[in-house]
Amino acid sequence: MSRRVIRPVVGALALATLLVPLSTPAFADEIRDRQYWLADYGIEDAWDITRGAGVTIAIIDTGVDASHQDLEGTVRAGTDVSGIGAADGQVPVGPASEHGTMVASLAVGRGHDDDAGVIGSAPEATILSVSMSFQGATVPADEQIANAVSWAVDNGADVISLSLTRNTREWPVSWDKAFGYAEQNDVVVVAAAGNRSSGTEIVGAPATMPGVLTVGGVDRSGTASATASSQGITIGVMAPSEDLVGAYPGGSYAEWAGTSGATPIVAGIVALVRSAYPSMDAANVINRILATATPVTGAVPDPLYGYGLIDAYAAVSADVPLVRDNPLGSIAEWVVVYRRGDSDEVLYPLGPIEPPQLDPPTRIGEIPQESAASPTDMIPLYMVAGLSAAMVLIVSVGAVTVFRVSRKPLD
């Protein structure tokens, strides 16, 4: 085996040192081949009806590198709520800054050269990029989320995607207002359930909030992931959360796992529904997603699987009776019952979102084409919510760089 060791790169992703054998180089067109969920979950079939045109998804995360070849033209507008990012939200910030780009690609990635690179569930939708950070920010994390949700609503979001968790079931009063504002303005909010491998056994806010479509994760067999999904009665649907690939800032790609990835897949499918039924309100969009899911057990909703496995084609094509109310509840109604006596001054009474911890970045090896590698030791990495212990594959056209990481998300 030959291996060329290169020097650490300051500012790169903190990675562990397990190199993984490859028999052939993984170019960008092979990345498309890895997207098994496009066929398995009815997404490709749904594209015969719509590809998400006319719908805007807000990605509230670490910022989106819109210069990536698979994301060019996807960002309609953006902002920064951390106080340390770019005004347009298109400069990745904070620990695990690649996270937002990876998330965005699974929602709206457009690939390139016809059939290469990452394509999202809704490749003709556009996004709002809202950058935030859990370390180094000048604004408290809870306040960042509240500000981000409100800004997304004001700037035309039809769907909001949140691949993060507060790691508690409760949330601050400021979230009542922001998420209530989204509800009042007919915006569908999609949130990650979190990952058991990182200690989140039970889902936390925003996935516990009434009206929010919570996404759990399954492996390739459709079984709840032992590492990349948490359990809770608020889970709406399950989506793929293992063996995922996503765009990585700078034109590369990453293989990853976690409900961070399952969430934008579902957010993109929600965009397909909103595109296919432009006059349908958020309550009926969510109901359609739930009603067309494939149940996994006899209990629906099930505390582990929710309403079942997401089915994109059924969601855009099935005959589903209309409902008056969101089957997942209403934050406005919850506030009336449970927030009586709270004052506007009680903004963050429950403690902040736990910040991720990040090891110094180290890039440790490159695998030449046609060569294999042997594993070495692992070092931990902690990052934004939704990721579980995962293998990360960084791929540049013409060369392959493979890393193994141990990740612990925010949740």
Side-chain angles (χ1 to χ4, degrees):
M1 178 200 75
S2 63
R3 182 177 65 188
R4 180 166 62 91
V5 177
I6 61 178
R7 293 176 296 175
V9 178
V10 176
L13 174 64
L15 295 169
T17 57
L18 179 61
L19 297 173
V20 182
L22 289 179
S23 57
T24 59
F27 294 101
D29 54 346
E30 294 183 37
I31 294 297
R32 181 69 57 84
D33 294 338
R34 292 172 179 260
Q35 293 188 260
Y36 64 90
W37 56 92
L38 299 177
D40 292 356
Y41 288 82
I43 296 171
E44 291 178 340
D45 290 336
W47 289 344
D48 291 336
I49 298 173
T50 177
R51 293 168 67 91
V55 177
T56 299
I57 305 172
I59 304 293
I60 298 175
D61 213 291
T62 61
V64 176
D65 176 10
S67 68
H68 192 286
Q69 62 271 16
D70 297 345
L71 290 169
E72 291 180 358
T74 62
V75 179
R76 183 170 68 79
T79 193
D80 173 73
V81 293
S82 69
I84 60 173
D88 62 2
Q90 295 181 47
V91 174
V93 298
S97 59
E98 76 284 352
H99 192 259
T101 302
M102 295 164 69
V103 166
S105 68
L106 293 189
V108 301
R110 295 178 179 176
H112 62 280
D113 296 337
D114 295 329
D115 58 357
V118 175
I119 190 165
S121 302
E124 292 184 5
T126 56
I127 60 175
L128 302 173
S129 175
V130 185
S131 59
M132 61 172 296
S133 178
F134 296 101
Q135 283 186 4
T138 62
V139 180
D142 278 337
E143 187 176 348
Q144 289 183 62
I145 298 296
N147 293 342
V149 170
S150 297
W151 183 91
V153 175
D154 284 339
N155 285 273
D158 302 296
V159 185
I160 293 175
S161 181
L162 293 161
S163 289
L164 52 85
T165 182
R166 201 167 186 277
N167 207 27
T168 66
R169 298 179 185 180
E170 297 82 11
W171 59 89
V173 171
S174 62
W175 287 23
D176 292 350
K177 298 176 180 178
F179 285 78
Y181 188 48
E183 180 177 280
Q184 293 164 10
N185 285 275
D186 202 43
V187 179
V188 176
V189 179
V190 185
N195 304 315
R196 285 180 282 183
S197 66
S198 62
T200 304
E201 295 292 336
I202 303 297
V203 298
T208 54
M209 300 180 72
V212 170
L213 178 59
T214 297
V215 181
V218 293
D219 61 22
R220 294 190 69 159
S221 71
T223 302
S225 174
T227 59
S229 188
S230 299
Q231 181 173 343
I233 60 173
T234 61
I235 288 179
V237 290
M238 304 293 278
S241 64
E242 296 188 11
D243 299 324
L244 305 176
V245 289
Y248 192 93
S252 298
Y253 299 93
E255 183 178 276
W256 57 322
T259 51
S260 267
T263 299
I265 290 174
V266 171
I269 294 172
V270 170
L272 296 181
V273 175
R274 301 220 83 162
S275 179
Y277 303 93
S279 63
M280 183 173 286
D281 63 16
N284 277 283
V285 170
I286 290 174
N287 181 65
R288 177 169 281 272
I289 294 288
L290 301 179
T292 57
T294 304
V296 178
T297 72
V300 177
D302 180 271
L304 185 56
Y305 290 96
Y307 288 77
L309 307 180
I310 188 101
D311 184 334
Y313 178 71
V316 298
S317 64
D319 183 11
V320 178
L322 296 177
V323 296
R324 187 183 67 177
D325 301 316
N326 185 338
L328 299 178
S330 163
I331 185 65
E333 293 178 1
W334 184 92
V335 167
V336 170
V337 174
Y338 295 102
R339 289 296 197 201
R340 288 179 294 183
D342 286 339
S343 72
D344 290 344
E345 296 178 357
V346 186
L347 292 179
Y348 315 108
L350 306 168
I353 300 176
E354 296 179 5
Q357 300 175 10
L358 193 66
D359 288 334
T362 305
R363 182 178 179 183
I364 51 80
E366 181 175 302
I367 301 178
Q369 297 178 14
E370 306 301 335
S371 69
S374 299
T376 56
D377 296 331
M378 297 183 69
I379 56 176
L381 173 69
Y382 302 87
M383 71 168 295
V384 177
L387 290 175
S388 66
M391 183 182 302
V392 170
L393 172 66
I394 311 299
V395 184
S396 297
V397 175
V400 181
T401 307
V402 182
F403 306 97
R404 181 71 174 260
V405 304
S406 174
R407 296 180 176 271
K408 185 174 181 181
L410 186 63
D411 45 321

